[in-house]
């Protein structure tokens, strides 16, 4: 089974580029199958990592919280398990 961990933070206004750089600079103690970083309006940054394992496996490393003066609210985290690949 594949599990995706999603990490999303919102930077203080005008500091989105700094948050993006900070998130990209964070290493994990284990390498995921895949890691992708996104940005969005309102200085938001999203990082998704994909892992082999079960949904309930709490041993998957996650990105830490950024420095408190860089974000406007606590980090949001979600966990999803793959429902398979849809072919059009």
């Amino acid at each position: 089974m594949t599990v995706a961990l999603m990490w999303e933070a919102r930077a203080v206004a005008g500091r989105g580029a700094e948050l993006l750089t900070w998130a990209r600079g964070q290493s994990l103690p284990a390498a995921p199958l895949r890691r992708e970083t996104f940005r969005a309006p309102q200085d938001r940054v999203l990082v998704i990592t994909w892992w082999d394992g079960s949904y309930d496996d709490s041993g998957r490393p996650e990105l830490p919280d950024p420095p408190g003066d860089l974000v406007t609210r606590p980090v949001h985290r979600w966990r999803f398990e793959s429902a398979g690949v849809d072919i059009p």
Side-chain angles (χ1 to χ4, degrees):
M1 173 184 312
T2 302
V3 176
L5 304 182
M6 296 177 64
W7 176 102
E8 187 263 342
R10 184 172 177 187
V12 171
R15 295 183 70 186
E18 185 178 346
L19 178 60
L20 178 62
T21 298
W22 180 90
R24 285 184 164 160
Q26 300 307 301
S27 62
L28 296 168
L33 297 172
R34 179 176 167 190
R35 176 175 171 167
E36 198 165 346
T37 304
F38 301 85
R39 62 183 174 186
Q42 300 177 333
D43 294 310
R44 291 178 292 144
V45 174
L46 172 69
V47 179
I48 304 174
T49 56
W50 286 261
W51 304 88
D52 274 332
S54 70
Y55 181 86
D56 297 327
D57 184 354
S58 61
R60 300 285 171 234
E62 296 194 41
L63 291 177
D65 290 342
D69 65 336
L70 184 57
V71 294
T72 61
R73 58 167 170 72
V75 169
H76 292 171
R77 291 180 169 89
W78 301 275
R79 182 176 292 230
F80 295 88
E81 65 184 23
S82 176
V85 176
D86 295 330
I87 299 173

